Amino acid sequence: MRNTTLCIDSIEKCGILGVSQVIAQIENSSIVVHGPKGCVYPAYEASILYPLNINYTEMCEKTIVFGGEVEVSEKIIDEFYENQPDLMAVVTTCASEIIGDDIDGLIKRADLPIPVLRIDGGGFLNNQTSGMNMAMRTLVEKLCKEADLSNPTVNILSPVSMNSCWQEDMTYLVSLLAEFGIMARPLFCNASVEQIGKYAHTCLNVVICPPIGFETAEYMKKAFKIPYITLSYPLGMEKTEAFIKGIAETVQLNKDITHLLDEKRAMVKSKFHNGMGRVNSVRLFEYIKQLNKMIVGPPEIALAFTNIITKEYEDSIGRVIVKDVSNEQEEEIKAKFAKISPGTDVLVTNDNQIIKEEIQNNKPQVLLGSDLEYYFAKELYEPAYINITYPGARELNFHKRPFLGYDGTLNFFEVWYNKIINRYY
Amino acid sequence: MIDTEIKGKTTKLSALVKGIKSDSLNIRDCVDMHQFCAFWGAFDILNYFNDVVILVHGPSGCLGNRRYLPAMGYHNECDNKPHLSTSFTNKEVVFGGEKKLIDSLMEVDKQYKSKIIAVITNCCADIIGDDVEGCIEGLPEDLRKKVIYLNTGGYSGKSYRRGTEMAFKLLTKSLPSKKYEESANSESKMVNVFLRRWIGGQTKQEEITEIKRMLQIIGVEVNQLFDQGMSIEDFYKMQKAQLNVAACLFFGMGLFDELKNKFNVAYSESTYPLGLFATKKWLNEIITSLNLNVNIDELQEVKELERKRKELISQIGKGRHCIIWTQTGERMIALTKLAYELEMDPIVVGVEPAIVKDKFPIFEKEVLEDGFDVKVFVTKYIEDVQDLIEYLGDPIIFCNNNYYPGRTVFKYKLAQNPIYGFNGTRKLYQAMHDSINNKSSKYSLFVEG
């Protein structure tokens, strides 16, 4: 539940963005935004990174008073013939939600030979994350007709658009699990309509970045009796091992994977030492440790990066700002951080002005977060900035590499190390 | 595409504008991401002022969307100012958000101590009919005096531009109505300058420097620059000037009309000083309005540019065809005028009738009143444009996205390069010269295909 007592500078964009980001993961998909012109922008933003056709009804005073059902009908047909999508989502906005246009009825009447779904994007109902969850759940609800729990494939609920390498992360996790004899698929990651239709052909759902995907997992449990587990975000060797073991135990994998896990860990360390030995010494690590560091991000992400930096890089994080729209889990969140890094100060907030103040007052020399946090810092000084969450538009990444898993441990380390020494040494 | 097909798709801009005016055309909508809703326009204008805090009455999503615009190419800029909202949920939509608004105003006043608190609404608050005026009226006197408000819900169908005009009107209304009394030297000629929309960084600084320099040449001082980071006091001082001038008149016109009505400050109707002719026209209009005794044709700089212009025409080839593919609006008109200045034969492609309709005041003035006209090739498809290029032989193509390897492409990005004034003209001429001498290479990463 959101904090409704204060006026805030909210950390989240509106639901239309979250919905659009998920729909954009479906091949040849379209969005029709049923709302005023200004509401198209978040759909446009989603379409910049991933292909997505956009149309909109441009609601005006007349449609508010008399209803916009004619416009919606026209746009649905228009969009179908214009772009011939495999799937269309009609996204409602604040205006269309309040007046209550019968979108479901219109979709039924249009009777198109493709799935056309209604998804609520209105800002008073959904923010970016809940919009994402709403879209995921609706897709599963409408497209998955039957389940097959005997299918050994494990679903991983993707944290769509969490950062700039999330798709590479998902692809990597699937191939990593295959090495352990576990078949897996990432949900809502470059999927076709046909593929989504088979999402319920699975023995297990795995949520790695709640609340993203949580609602869908809950739905699939209720509707199809598909069990789900929640595992820590698999960043770093420890959490990657926990991720693999967690799944292996749940699916009752009939093989001992201990040896392979040990091998993987040894391989990462061998690469690390060989790589460092040829080029660098460990001297600079001691200087890096002295720098004041801050992480800003949603709970799971902030926790995962704190863990890898403190446990696996043997460094420290002075301050973590956890971005959480609900303030209800503050104590629980702080307790989790205290367990892994007791010396780290943790602030939980849903307000960008508080985040800005913290950054500008503390002036962390190393800042992990999104571009917004970087610009808050840049107003006063230049940190060593590492992008870990959306938006991350400042830098180009033609060859994105995963941050998750074993490979990701070293990929992230490289970025971490190079950003810091390029800034300070 | 054969000759008859090309000719069949060619018309004149004046025909399109007249058709839109008489409502005789069936126009399809288009998604123009530079034309948001009235909410965005109003917010952007109020956000210019450092001593105005904006409180949005409604859900917070609209605000989150506008802060950082990498999708618009603004990945190096972020609006760090507070983006405050009363953060509507379904509870406020059902039961009303008036109490929340009042509480929020108290909180904003306590926390930010600004000169003005501007309340603007988005769709939710307007549709449910929250009595924003009533809430403000009920505030304690000290707070009530500093709060202004606008109903700017995007559902109203009013465009971004209309939102800016509403904000200008509101700001001007809030200013005291007596003339600014600081004694001004009646000999000194002062103008207020309004820059173009969405310009920043080094480009903005160069354009400001150039505008000030040109005005200084003709003996005019800049009274106020309507720019990000100004104060309400700066805005008040705008009434001291004898004339308002704009780099982009249609963006500033809302403000100029208000300043004219309230403080009788006239404004120059010349706009977009891009190229030598347009710059001279822009300056001459100021000279005439302020009764200055200056002949800019006698300036050495102008003579030099005129010489360069003739040289360039000779290099280009008089009467050479050119294709102009850019954003429908003032830019399109300005680039076409530049083409005429260089004695080319332009044809415009990719014109969006929906945008012409949306920006109708611009086209009405330029085309129907001032007589500007140009051929229009009615298409937005790259294949058709490529056929047109083949048909025309060796045209120069003015565009931002280059699909034309081996062709002469003039790709001077107006948003990221200085374009105004004599300095801008020099750079445009140089860019044109470079384009003629370097056809676009199929090996370039920036050439598609």
Side-chain angles (χ1 to χ4, degrees), chain A residues 154 182 203-204 244-255:
Chain A
V154 170
I182 300 170
C203 60
L204 179 69
I244 297 166
K245 275 182 178 170
I247 295 173
E249 277 161 21
T250 311
V251 302
Q252 295 173 339
L253 190 68
N254 276 336
K255 71 192 243 193

Side-chain angles (χ1 to χ4, degrees), chain A residues 2 4 6-9 14 36-37 41 44 56 60-61 64 82 94 124 352-353 356 371 375-376 379 393, chain B residues 28 30-31 33 35 61 64-65 67-70 75-76 80 82-83 85 87 90 100 104 107 124 154-155:
Chain A
R2 288 157 66 182
T4 60
L6 303 170
C7 73
I8 59 166
D9 184 343
C14 84
K37 196 184 289 198
Y41 182 79
Y44 179 70
Y56 70 114
C60 59
E61 257 170 341
I64 293 292
E82 177 80 21
C94 293
F124 71 90
N352 270 324
Q353 287 305 299
K356 180 180 160 187
D371 286 353
Y375 282 112
F376 287 155
E379 222 175 46
Chain B
R28 286 168 58 91
C30 77
V31 177
M33 289 327 305
Q35 300 300 322
N65 293 339
R67 169 173 250 138
Y68 179 48
L69 303 174
H75 57 272
N76 57 338
N80 285 349
H83 280 48
S85 75
S87 201
N90 40 11
K100 205 167 183 202
S104 298
E107 184 177 301
C124 280
Y155 81 93

Side-chain angles (χ1 to χ4, degrees), chain A residues 51-308:
Chain A
L52 178 67
N53 302 313
I54 305 168
N55 210 324
Y56 70 114
T57 58
E58 197 176 349
M59 288 182 81
C60 59
E61 257 170 341
K62 187 175 155 211
T63 42
I64 293 292
V65 172
F66 297 108
E69 291 173 0
V70 168
E71 284 79 5
V72 175
S73 294
E74 279 176 4
K75 287 294 173 179
I76 289 174
I77 305 292
D78 208 34
E79 181 57 29
F80 175 71
Y81 285 105
E82 177 80 21
N83 289 310
Q84 293 167 13
D86 293 338
L87 177 137
M88 196 186 307
V90 181
V91 185
T92 57
T93 61
C94 293
S96 52
E97 279 295 323
I98 291 172
I99 65 168
D101 277 341
D102 179 16
I103 307 298
D104 290 318
L106 296 169
I107 289 170
K108 206 168 175 184
R109 196 165 69 186
D111 194 27
L112 294 178
I114 59 163
V116 182
L117 316 175
R118 168 239 170 97
I119 308 179
D120 302 335
F124 71 90
L125 285 174
N126 281 314
N127 55 34
Q128 186 181 346
T129 303
S130 60
M132 216 175 256
N133 280 328
M134 173 74 74
M136 287 182 178
R137 185 214 151 118
T138 306
L139 284 164
V140 166
E141 200 178 315
K142 300 293 182 191
L143 299 182
C144 296
K145 295 303 171 203
E146 83 277 321
D148 176 8
L149 274 81
S150 67
N151 189 315
T153 308
V154 170
N155 287 340
I156 309 174
L157 278 296
S158 305
V160 173
S161 291
M162 177 53 66
N163 51 40
S164 55
C165 61
W166 73 274
Q167 286 185 326
E168 286 72 21
D169 284 335
M170 292 300 110
T171 307
Y172 171 76
L173 287 178
V174 166
S175 69
L176 178 64
L177 286 169
E179 290 183 52
F180 288 83
I182 300 170
M183 269 171 52
R185 67 158 86 87
L187 301 196
F188 310 109
C189 181
N190 278 331
S192 67
V193 171
E194 197 189 329
Q195 284 166 342
I196 298 177
K198 296 200 167 103
Y199 277 179
H201 294 201
T202 181
C203 60
L204 179 69
N205 281 326
V206 179
V207 177
I208 60 169
C209 191
I212 298 175
F214 189 76
E215 206 177 299
T216 305
E218 275 277 324
Y219 169 77
M220 288 173 89
K221 185 177 175 188
K222 250 190 198 155
F224 301 114
K225 310 274 183 277
I226 298 168
Y228 74 88
I229 55 174
T230 304
L231 296 171
S232 295
Y233 196 63
L235 180 76
M237 289 184 286
E238 181 191 358
K239 297 301 177 188
T240 302
E241 209 168 275
F243 169 75
I244 297 166
K245 275 182 178 170
I247 295 173
E249 277 161 21
T250 311
V251 302
Q252 295 173 339
L253 190 68
N254 276 336
K255 71 192 243 193
D256 185 2
I257 58 172
T258 317
H259 184 65
L260 189 49
L261 288 170
D262 291 342
E263 241 178 59
K264 285 285 187 191
R265 193 169 64 249
M267 182 241 357
V268 171
K269 292 189 183 189
S270 168
K271 261 191 181 168
F272 175 75
H273 287 289
N274 287 341
M276 291 302 296
R278 238 171 271 149
V279 180
N280 289 299
S281 76
V282 294
R283 178 171 46 91
L284 278 177
F285 289 121
E286 298 308 312
Y287 298 143
I288 291 172
K289 278 183 191 175
Q290 291 164 28
L291 297 173
N292 172 14
K293 303 175 190 76
M294 183 187 282
I295 296 174
V296 184
E300 274 303 312
I301 302 299
L303 197 64
F305 279 94
T306 304
N307 190 68
I308 192 176

Side-chain angles (χ1 to χ4, degrees), chain B residues 177-378:
Chain B
S177 56
K178 62 181 178 179
K179 197 92 169 125
Y180 195 80
E181 281 185 358
E182 226 176 70
S183 59
N185 179 352
S186 61
E187 293 293 318
S188 66
K189 302 292 182 185
M190 291 200 290
V191 299
N192 297 319
V193 175
F194 199 96
L195 300 172
R196 54 175 162 143
R197 184 170 64 147
W198 291 358
I199 182 180
Q202 193 182 326
T203 308
K204 181 164 85 166
Q205 291 316 311
E206 277 193 54
E207 289 196 349
I208 291 172
T209 304
E210 177 62 3
I211 287 171
K212 283 184 175 173
R213 186 187 73 88
M214 290 196 302
L215 290 171
Q216 200 172 38
I217 289 173
I218 61 172
V220 174
E221 275 176 51
V222 172
N223 175 45
Q224 291 293 329
L225 194 69
F226 192 88
D227 191 14
Q228 290 283 348
M230 63 189 300
S231 68
I232 288 294
E233 185 61 29
D234 294 334
F235 186 66
Y236 185 35
K237 285 178 187 167
M238 287 184 98
Q239 56 182 295
K240 272 172 68 180
Q242 285 98 358
L243 187 71
N244 286 321
V245 303
C248 175
L249 176 64
F250 294 100
F251 181 39
M253 199 185 273
L255 173 63
F256 289 179
D257 279 336
E258 292 304 315
L259 288 174
K260 186 164 178 9
N261 293 339
K262 189 146 185 173
F263 302 118
N264 207 23
V265 179
Y267 64 86
S268 165
E269 292 199 14
S270 190
T271 185
Y272 235 92
L274 183 153
L276 179 61
F277 288 3
T279 302
K280 279 168 51 175
K281 185 177 175 193
W282 191 79
L283 285 170
N284 275 329
E285 177 111 359
I286 297 170
I287 288 167
T288 307
S289 302
L290 294 177
N291 291 321
L292 300 172
N293 187 14
V294 178
N295 181 354
I296 53 175
D297 285 312
E298 292 302 312
L299 295 171
Q300 196 51 42
E301 193 173 4
V302 173
K303 287 180 182 173
E304 179 59 25
L305 278 170
E306 178 58 31
R307 187 189 64 75
K308 280 199 158 105
R309 183 182 78 88
K310 292 196 166 110
E311 251 174 45
L312 196 49
I313 291 169
S314 175
Q315 280 176 14
I316 291 168
K318 195 171 161 133
R320 184 162 175 185
H321 293 298
C322 74
I323 293 172
I324 298 174
W325 193 350
T326 186
Q327 191 187 347
T328 304
E330 288 154 286
R331 262 184 214 180
M332 181 189 92
I333 294 171
L335 282 175
T336 309
K337 287 181 180 176
L338 178 69
Y340 284 138
E341 174 174 312
L342 296 173
E343 299 187 16
M344 290 193 255
D345 180 15
I347 183 164
V348 178
V349 303
V351 177
E352 283 286 358
I355 298 174
V356 174
K357 188 175 175 186
D358 200 37
K359 296 182 181 179
F360 196 73
I362 300 171
F363 288 92
E364 187 171 41
K365 183 183 186 312
E366 292 279 349
V367 177
L368 301 183
E369 290 172 23
D370 295 351
F372 170 82
D373 209 352
V374 64
K375 286 179 286 193
V376 172
F377 186 63
V378 183

